[in-house]
Amino acid sequence: MTKSSVLGYPRIGADREWKKALEAFWSGKLEENELHARLQEIRLDHLRKQQAKGIDLIPVNDFSYYDHILDTAVMFGIVPKRFAYTGGAVPLSVYYGIARGTKDAAASEMTKWFNTNYHYIVPELNDASPELTENKPLIAYLEAKEKLGIEGKPVIVGPLTFLKLSKGYDASETDAWIDQLLPLYTQVLQELADAGVQWVQIDEPVLVTKLNDADLQRLNKIYTAFASAVPGLNILLQTYFESVENYNEIISLPVQGIGLDFVHGLEGNLQSIQTSGFPADKVLGAGIIDGRGIWKASLQDKLTLLGTLTSLVTTERLVVQSSCSLLHVPVTTAREAKLAAELKDALAFADEKLDEIVILTKAIRSTDADITAKIKDAEQKLQALQSSGDRNRKAVQEAIASIRVQEPNRSRAFAERHVAQQQKWQLPLFPTTTIGSFPQSTEVRKARQQWRKNELSNEQYSSFIRDQIDSWINIQEEIGIDVLVHGEFERTDMVEFFGEKLAGFAFTQYGWVQSYGSRCVKPPVIFGDVEFVGEMTVEETKYAQSKTDRPVKGMLTGPITIMNWSFVRDDIERETIAYQLAYALRQEVEALEKAGIGMIQVDEPAVREGLPLKENKQANYLDWAVKAFRITTCTVQETTQIHTHMCYCEFHDMIDSIEAMDADVISIETSRSHGELIHSFEENTYELGIGLGVYDIHSPRVPSVEEMSNMIDRALRVLDPKLFWINPDCGLKTRGQEETVASLKNMVDATRIARAKYNATPVLS
Ligand code: GLN
Ligand code: ZN
């Protein structure tokens, strides 16, 4: 009989109980035993929910005290030496030490989980001596069984994925590491089998990336070893986020089931299964409910897809499941009280997805009037949103249709613009600027809160913001910065601020998802056609400009960043959404220019995040991402200087795309990516204005003039001095005023030294 299954359930709880428990423990408000008790309550509650909904294969061990990759490392005793760990059970203090750092030892690095916004802790293998410290999946399995009578499905990160995500070893040592880890994994599996476990889900998301022959051999070795050591245990080898590469090799592995993503890898996986068939002795985990999107599924379409699959796999061997763990979506729509009914009815968060999975499973088992009605109901709800005014803004749709076929070019090429801009602005050599935001003091946050609660009138709030601008315009002039900013005091978040002012966006009350550790984000929802409804930033920018003779940069968040940090509709292409955003932002750029703002920065820190996992899809993404930026910025006069900013991602393999954005100036972070970026300019020339961040804004430490001078010298070895700008790494909103002023003073001093040294025109002021 067809079964229903889930790959993982969100940890955070409908009210972020999980986050609150962790943070209470960290701040000493909760004892360790209380933390264990609270987390157990949350964990069991999640299991109960899945049980009540009727999920057959309920995941266990998907829960975590922080992150599942960290759990895997700790389970195998892989703890960096600096935490003074000497073997055996890993204490909670060490576990959280690795995740968050201690006073004596730095935290392990954290990085993005494939192309999601979840971040995992990178295991450091180095000189670790792996041992099995505790069989976590077994503990989770026994708990579910004893407390709730649930026959759970333990979830484990597979060895190949674990090794590929780890660092601290040389590629030539991969096989030695596999030899060390295999007996430990085997022991875990053996103990699970002895306890009566039926199915284990082993996650190997790396199988959607390109593997070389050596890796394919390793894969074979690993799963052959498992099959011979634990012949009675059913292993479901789980992949997600894309279609698998090497389909034929994967289906030949000696496992009992294979999980494929039929949402994000639909085309490729369907093609593989139709061309090569699916082995008659294996179970197919059909990931058809989107574990990353927030929309209701068209159950009718999903049934059609399941129909195609059941022509290749018998219904006994079919498992209907989510495409990936539900970790990436919020918990439930049930508590959303402020969304328009049309929108709320078209949403499905984790709990609603459980229902969808169960409905589809039942629909395969039998035709039942109740199920048919539910399928029809879903169709009607989706249709209602589809035919709403929000999704049918004719003016936008027409504008996008024509913009799509145009070449978004500036009126003149950079070399000519550069001359015209120099003539207009008369900037000194190495102009100095900042990235946009200044410290959001408690005072600023308090005023915003009061205004939101109507305790401050609009007029009082604007006057408060104007005071902040006044004071920071003065500070910037005193320090001697050349290109000023207004400071972004009116913004909490660079995406939310614009989302609240554009049509097509909605904001949930409880739509939180885990980003890393206890940190959760609540992304805006782009549910309709995006449209410009009125000026968003002109007032503050114009005011700031009225207070100084120096240029003030207008400050916008770019289309791709807004898109990548939101939940977006899935009825149209992301490319179209990006163009809608770009077109709306272009109207703001034009409004700023009309108001006399001659420098406009369009931030794109998240441009890299949307990069597809498959190499053959990356160029297309970068093409339209660049085009969206150009649509936003191409209509200004040649003397209007377009800036952009990027940070905290790997740029070195996308310098060409960055250059193609054709921004007159880019400010780019370098301290985290260390020398890599500078190195990449040795190989690629960059022919537009560029400022490499000369100090890391993530620490309250005030960097010395000398440190910054060194950074400048190093950059000028590979970049053209005539095009070089000097700025911090990123926005300064998380910093305090005192350290910000001190750091910027040092930055301007380092600039003066550089100007003298590079035989500059005299310094302004
Ligand atoms: N302009 C924004 C700021 O300064 C940029 C933030 C970012 O890069 N994430 O805050
Ligand atoms: Zn930044």
mmCIF file of all heavy atoms in Angstrom, residues 567-582:
data_model
loop_
_atom_site.group_PDB
_atom_site.id
_atom_site.type_symbol
_atom_site.label_atom_id
_atom_site.label_comp_id
_atom_site.label_asym_id
_atom_site.label_seq_id
_atom_site.Cartn_x
_atom_site.Cartn_y
_atom_site.Cartn_z
ATOM 1 N N PHE A 567 9.703 34.905 0.245
ATOM 2 C CA PHE A 567 9.026 33.745 -0.329
ATOM 3 C C PHE A 567 8.320 34.255 -1.572
ATOM 4 O O PHE A 567 7.607 35.264 -1.502
ATOM 5 C CB PHE A 567 7.975 33.196 0.638
ATOM 6 C CG PHE A 567 8.541 32.318 1.711
ATOM 7 C CD1 PHE A 567 8.364 32.624 3.057
ATOM 8 C CD2 PHE A 567 9.241 31.157 1.385
ATOM 9 C CE1 PHE A 567 8.881 31.798 4.048
ATOM 10 C CE2 PHE A 567 9.755 30.326 2.379
ATOM 11 C CZ PHE A 567 9.576 30.651 3.711
ATOM 12 N N VAL A 568 8.520 33.610 -2.691
ATOM 13 C CA VAL A 568 7.913 34.151 -3.908
ATOM 14 C C VAL A 568 6.851 33.211 -4.473
ATOM 15 O O VAL A 568 6.861 32.007 -4.221
ATOM 16 C CB VAL A 568 8.973 34.467 -4.987
ATOM 17 C CG1 VAL A 568 9.976 35.477 -4.471
ATOM 18 C CG2 VAL A 568 9.677 33.199 -5.470
ATOM 19 N N ARG A 569 5.949 33.786 -5.221
ATOM 20 C CA ARG A 569 4.890 33.004 -5.856
ATOM 21 C C ARG A 569 5.511 31.993 -6.812
ATOM 22 O O ARG A 569 6.607 32.210 -7.346
ATOM 23 C CB ARG A 569 3.941 33.956 -6.591
ATOM 24 C CG ARG A 569 4.671 34.900 -7.521
ATOM 25 C CD ARG A 569 3.806 36.076 -7.926
ATOM 26 N NE ARG A 569 2.828 35.699 -8.940
ATOM 27 C CZ ARG A 569 2.214 36.583 -9.732
ATOM 28 N NH1 ARG A 569 2.503 37.882 -9.648
ATOM 29 N NH2 ARG A 569 1.321 36.189 -10.612
ATOM 30 N N ASP A 570 4.786 30.892 -7.042
ATOM 31 C CA ASP A 570 5.367 29.873 -7.922
ATOM 32 C C ASP A 570 4.554 29.684 -9.208
ATOM 33 O O ASP A 570 4.760 28.720 -9.925
ATOM 34 C CB ASP A 570 5.551 28.539 -7.180
ATOM 35 C CG ASP A 570 4.230 27.989 -6.678
ATOM 36 O OD1 ASP A 570 3.185 28.659 -6.843
ATOM 37 O OD2 ASP A 570 4.234 26.870 -6.105
ATOM 38 N N ASP A 571 3.664 30.624 -9.468
ATOM 39 C CA ASP A 571 2.872 30.491 -10.694
ATOM 40 C C ASP A 571 3.531 31.187 -11.882
ATOM 41 O O ASP A 571 3.108 31.008 -13.013
ATOM 42 C CB ASP A 571 1.462 31.067 -10.478
ATOM 43 C CG ASP A 571 1.516 32.551 -10.153
ATOM 44 O OD1 ASP A 571 2.322 32.946 -9.281
ATOM 45 O OD2 ASP A 571 0.779 33.329 -10.786
ATOM 46 N N ILE A 572 4.540 32.028 -11.617
ATOM 47 C CA ILE A 572 5.293 32.628 -12.727
ATOM 48 C C ILE A 572 6.783 32.417 -12.464
ATOM 49 O O ILE A 572 7.189 32.115 -11.351
ATOM 50 C CB ILE A 572 4.998 34.149 -12.899
ATOM 51 C CG1 ILE A 572 5.299 34.926 -11.607
ATOM 52 C CG2 ILE A 572 3.549 34.387 -13.329
ATOM 53 C CD1 ILE A 572 5.139 36.447 -11.750
ATOM 54 N N GLU A 573 7.589 32.593 -13.499
ATOM 55 C CA GLU A 573 9.041 32.392 -13.389
ATOM 56 C C GLU A 573 9.671 33.410 -12.433
ATOM 57 O O GLU A 573 9.232 34.570 -12.381
ATOM 58 C CB GLU A 573 9.690 32.634 -14.763
ATOM 59 C CG GLU A 573 9.221 31.726 -15.867
ATOM 60 C CD GLU A 573 9.886 30.372 -15.783
ATOM 61 O OE1 GLU A 573 10.982 30.291 -15.179
ATOM 62 O OE2 GLU A 573 9.312 29.404 -16.301
ATOM 63 N N ARG A 574 10.715 32.972 -11.763
ATOM 64 C CA ARG A 574 11.466 33.910 -10.912
ATOM 65 C C ARG A 574 11.992 35.083 -11.746
ATOM 66 O O ARG A 574 12.067 36.214 -11.276
ATOM 67 C CB ARG A 574 12.635 33.192 -10.227
ATOM 68 C CG ARG A 574 12.173 32.226 -9.151
ATOM 69 C CD ARG A 574 13.340 31.441 -8.586
ATOM 70 N NE ARG A 574 14.102 32.178 -7.573
ATOM 71 C CZ ARG A 574 13.753 32.268 -6.296
ATOM 72 N NH1 ARG A 574 12.675 31.656 -5.864
ATOM 73 N NH2 ARG A 574 14.490 32.948 -5.455
ATOM 74 N N GLU A 575 12.349 34.772 -12.964
ATOM 75 C CA GLU A 575 12.864 35.818 -13.846
ATOM 76 C C GLU A 575 11.837 36.957 -13.990
ATOM 77 O O GLU A 575 12.192 38.141 -13.929
ATOM 78 C CB GLU A 575 13.183 35.201 -15.215
ATOM 79 C CG GLU A 575 13.691 36.199 -16.231
ATOM 80 C CD GLU A 575 14.036 35.562 -17.584
ATOM 81 O OE1 GLU A 575 13.972 34.316 -17.705
ATOM 82 O OE2 GLU A 575 14.358 36.321 -18.507
ATOM 83 N N THR A 576 10.584 36.584 -14.144
ATOM 84 C CA THR A 576 9.536 37.598 -14.309
ATOM 85 C C THR A 576 9.365 38.407 -13.027
ATOM 86 O O THR A 576 9.209 39.634 -13.068
ATOM 87 C CB THR A 576 8.202 36.917 -14.682
ATOM 88 O OG1 THR A 576 8.446 36.063 -15.806
ATOM 89 C CG2 THR A 576 7.135 37.917 -15.015
ATOM 90 N N ILE A 577 9.421 37.711 -11.894
ATOM 91 C CA ILE A 577 9.307 38.420 -10.607
ATOM 92 C C ILE A 577 10.451 39.432 -10.484
ATOM 93 O O ILE A 577 10.262 40.575 -10.067
ATOM 94 C CB ILE A 577 9.340 37.426 -9.431
ATOM 95 C CG1 ILE A 577 8.189 36.422 -9.568
ATOM 96 C CG2 ILE A 577 9.280 38.151 -8.092
ATOM 97 C CD1 ILE A 577 8.254 35.253 -8.603
ATOM 98 N N ALA A 578 11.647 39.001 -10.876
ATOM 99 C CA ALA A 578 12.813 39.890 -10.791
ATOM 100 C C ALA A 578 12.602 41.128 -11.664
ATOM 101 O O ALA A 578 12.923 42.250 -11.257
ATOM 102 C CB ALA A 578 14.070 39.143 -11.227
ATOM 103 N N TYR A 579 12.039 40.952 -12.839
ATOM 104 C CA TYR A 579 11.821 42.103 -13.729
ATOM 105 C C TYR A 579 10.738 43.024 -13.172
ATOM 106 O O TYR A 579 10.817 44.240 -13.297
ATOM 107 C CB TYR A 579 11.442 41.637 -15.142
ATOM 108 C CG TYR A 579 12.552 40.898 -15.874
ATOM 109 C CD1 TYR A 579 12.273 40.084 -16.963
ATOM 110 C CD2 TYR A 579 13.883 41.018 -15.469
ATOM 111 C CE1 TYR A 579 13.282 39.409 -17.643
ATOM 112 C CE2 TYR A 579 14.895 40.332 -16.125
ATOM 113 C CZ TYR A 579 14.593 39.525 -17.214
ATOM 114 O OH TYR A 579 15.578 38.855 -17.870
ATOM 115 N N GLN A 580 9.727 42.428 -12.549
ATOM 116 C CA GLN A 580 8.691 43.283 -11.942
ATOM 117 C C GLN A 580 9.303 44.151 -10.840
ATOM 118 O O GLN A 580 9.025 45.346 -10.738
ATOM 119 C CB GLN A 580 7.565 42.429 -11.342
ATOM 120 C CG GLN A 580 6.698 41.758 -12.392
ATOM 121 C CD GLN A 580 5.477 41.067 -11.766
ATOM 122 O OE1 GLN A 580 5.319 41.025 -10.555
ATOM 123 N NE2 GLN A 580 4.623 40.532 -12.616
ATOM 124 N N LEU A 581 10.135 43.525 -10.019
ATOM 125 C CA LEU A 581 10.794 44.279 -8.952
ATOM 126 C C LEU A 581 11.697 45.353 -9.545
ATOM 127 O O LEU A 581 11.730 46.495 -9.087
ATOM 128 C CB LEU A 581 11.614 43.326 -8.073
ATOM 129 C CG LEU A 581 10.805 42.469 -7.102
ATOM 130 C CD1 LEU A 581 11.612 41.259 -6.655
ATOM 131 C CD2 LEU A 581 10.393 43.311 -5.887
ATOM 132 N N ALA A 582 12.423 44.963 -10.588
ATOM 133 C CA ALA A 582 13.362 45.891 -11.216
ATOM 134 C C ALA A 582 12.615 47.097 -11.784
ATOM 135 O O ALA A 582 13.040 48.248 -11.627
ATOM 136 C CB ALA A 582 14.139 45.173 -12.318
#
